[in-house]
Amino acid sequence: MHSDTYDLVVVGAGPAGASAARAAGHNGVQVLLIDARTNPGSPVQCAEYVPNQVRGYVPLVKGAVVQKIDTLLTFINDELASTLAGPGYMLDRRVFDAGLVDAAREAGAEVCSSTKAIAKTEHGLIVSHNCQEPVAVKCRVIIGADGPRSTVGEWMNSRNQNFMVGLQYNLPLSQPQYSTDIYFKPEYHGGYAWLFPKGWHANVGVGVSLSHKERLPRLLDEFITRLVWEDKIRGTRPAAKTSGLIPVGGPIPITQTGNMLLAGDAAGLAHPVTGGGIMNAIVSGQIAGQTAAQAIEQNDLKVLSQYPQRWQEVLGRFLDRGVQQRLKMDRGWTEDRAGFERLIKRTWISFN
């Protein structure tokens, strides 16, 4: 760090944090963007799909897009139940996230990786870089964009409570495809399986409610065996493995307290049914960065209280509906195949 005093510290350099830092930096705010990881975006903890609309919000650097996607296929009880137009992109999240961080840096933000937020203080926060002696950093505003188990959210006493957990392998495809494939079966309790293509490879995974996490390795092995039998993939040795928590409880009740804001997964803004969170992270991060910049420019931290309403105006209706669909799904989950099919058709995005 080049200084011990900043206007804004953003904790977490994923899509939400980098977008917040970039937005604030463009408004002339002195920003420090920190991330506990050595390389933001690694390890990859998502299926890496984004809709076309992402181009309207952030730059897509060379190499960030692996391939285009045309459709979303939904399978229920091993039968194709829906084909829906779903134009978008499969990303290389390492390249994509690095591009967002570079954009934040170009906007004037200072970026420090391998830097962990330790504690909040009266005048800022305590951080540790490369596990060295903690140091105090002064700032006026803090944005927490540090994922489902947010440290900033803990300081605010406002954290996610409901999760899916996913396990994903990167496996070779038998041939390229241009659809993202979703599979619903009763044994994927509270979640689903997926095959998302990336050229000659694919992200293949299963997600279930956190209370069923012990089943994941077996469920993923069985899913992969089926894909091999269907000749969709041609190998079972993964090029990469990843797992992670996905918040599915919807927006947490408090996303602003005092001089602190939460964005992205830290605010519970992933879609409660699909678990998709990249676009919502980018959008909420931009709103958080703009709101923080306005509060700092006007020398009035009361402006920060407008942040919840601002993100709700953009994302609220969409996420509120998702919460209701998630509640119906959780309450109605059944082993009865016919009843299960009716449930998914009432709650999954392809049928609404």
Side-chain angles (χ1 to χ4, degrees):
M1 289 174 289
H2 298 149
S3 173
D4 64 357
T5 302
Y6 299 84
D7 295 320
L8 167 67
V9 173
V10 181
V11 182
S19 298
R22 177 174 177 247
H26 276 312
N27 283 277
V29 172
Q30 189 177 12
V31 182
L32 174 64
L33 174 61
I34 67 172
D35 197 287
R37 298 167 295 179
T38 303
N39 297 300
S42 181
V44 173
Q45 292 185 302
C46 79
E48 300 183 283
Y49 167 83
V50 290
N52 273 350
Q53 292 93 325
V54 71
R55 284 192 176 275
Y57 289 88
V58 294
L60 292 177
V61 298
K62 183 178 180 180
V65 174
V66 179
Q67 73 163 77
K68 292 184 177 181
I69 294 296
D70 299 325
T71 54
L72 167 65
L73 304 184
T74 301
F75 297 81
I76 305 175
N77 296 325
D78 296 324
E79 299 291 334
L80 180 62
S82 170
T83 300
L84 183 71
Y89 306 101
M90 285 299 298
L91 301 174
D92 182 328
R93 277 293 301 275
R94 294 177 179 86
V95 177
F96 178 73
D97 284 26
L100 297 184
V101 171
D102 286 344
R105 190 181 284 111
E106 291 168 5
E110 182 181 343
V111 181
C112 283
S113 58
S114 302
T115 303
K116 186 176 182 180
I118 303 296
K120 188 179 185 303
T121 68
E122 182 180 355
H123 301 292
L125 68 166
I126 304 293
V127 304
S128 175
H129 177 64
N130 279 331
C131 299
Q132 296 176 359
E133 190 70 23
V135 297
V137 176
K138 295 179 181 178
C139 65
R140 301 197 63 194
V141 179
I142 298 169
I143 294 177
D146 47 340
R149 295 285 197 184
S150 168
T151 296
V152 179
E154 185 177 10
W155 298 343
M156 294 171 58
N157 195 29
S158 183
R159 299 179 86 189
N160 293 292
Q161 300 297 321
N162 299 317
F163 300 94
M164 280 173 49
V165 59
L167 178 62
Q168 176 175 274
Y169 292 173
N170 185 266
L171 295 167
L173 279 170
S174 296
Q175 60 184 7
Q177 68 175 60
Y178 298 92
S179 64
T180 49
D181 300 352
I182 298 293
Y183 297 79
F184 284 99
K185 297 176 73 173
E187 50 262 47
Y188 305 146
H189 200 283
Y192 54 84
W194 63 87
L195 185 154
F196 282 21
K198 295 183 68 177
W200 281 98
H201 282 75
N203 290 334
V204 177
V206 175
V208 296
S209 58
L210 187 58
S211 59
H212 291 74
K213 65 178 181 179
E214 72 282 350
R215 302 180 183 180
L216 267 181
R218 174 180 60 81
L219 291 174
L220 182 53
D221 285 345
E222 292 173 353
F223 180 51
I224 290 169
T225 298
R226 179 172 185 84
L227 294 178
V228 171
W229 178 77
E230 293 177 345
D231 197 31
K232 291 187 175 181
I233 60 174
R234 57 181 174 84
T236 60
R237 179 174 294 179
K241 300 179 181 180
T242 187
S243 63
L245 290 176
I246 307 162
V248 293
I252 58 178
I254 299 171
T255 57
Q256 180 270 328
T257 296
N259 71 335
M260 296 180 288
L261 309 177
L262 296 176
D265 282 2
L269 301 184
H271 191 276
V273 175
T274 71
I278 298 176
M279 274 300 302
N280 291 355
I282 292 168
V283 171
S284 61
Q286 288 187 358
I287 295 170
Q290 291 163 355
T291 304
Q294 182 182 351
I296 291 163
E297 290 167 355
Q298 296 180 7
N299 195 29
D300 183 5
L301 295 187
K302 292 180 182 178
V303 170
L304 298 177
S305 65
Q306 299 174 20
Y307 169 66
Q309 180 179 348
R310 290 179 178 180
W311 71 251
Q312 286 168 8
E313 287 173 353
V314 180
L315 301 172
R317 183 179 298 178
F318 170 69
L319 289 172
D320 286 347
R321 185 177 185 188
V323 168
Q324 295 306 311
Q325 290 171 315
R326 165 57 63 177
L327 290 173
K328 290 178 183 177
M329 180 178 283
D330 287 345
R331 291 168 181 168
W333 202 273
T334 175
E335 299 296 319
D336 175 71
R337 291 174 66 88
F340 181 74
E341 181 176 354
R342 290 193 296 269
L343 174 69
I344 299 306
K345 288 184 175 179
R346 289 199 307 270
T347 54
W348 180 244
I349 57 172
S350 295
F351 305 100
N352 290 274

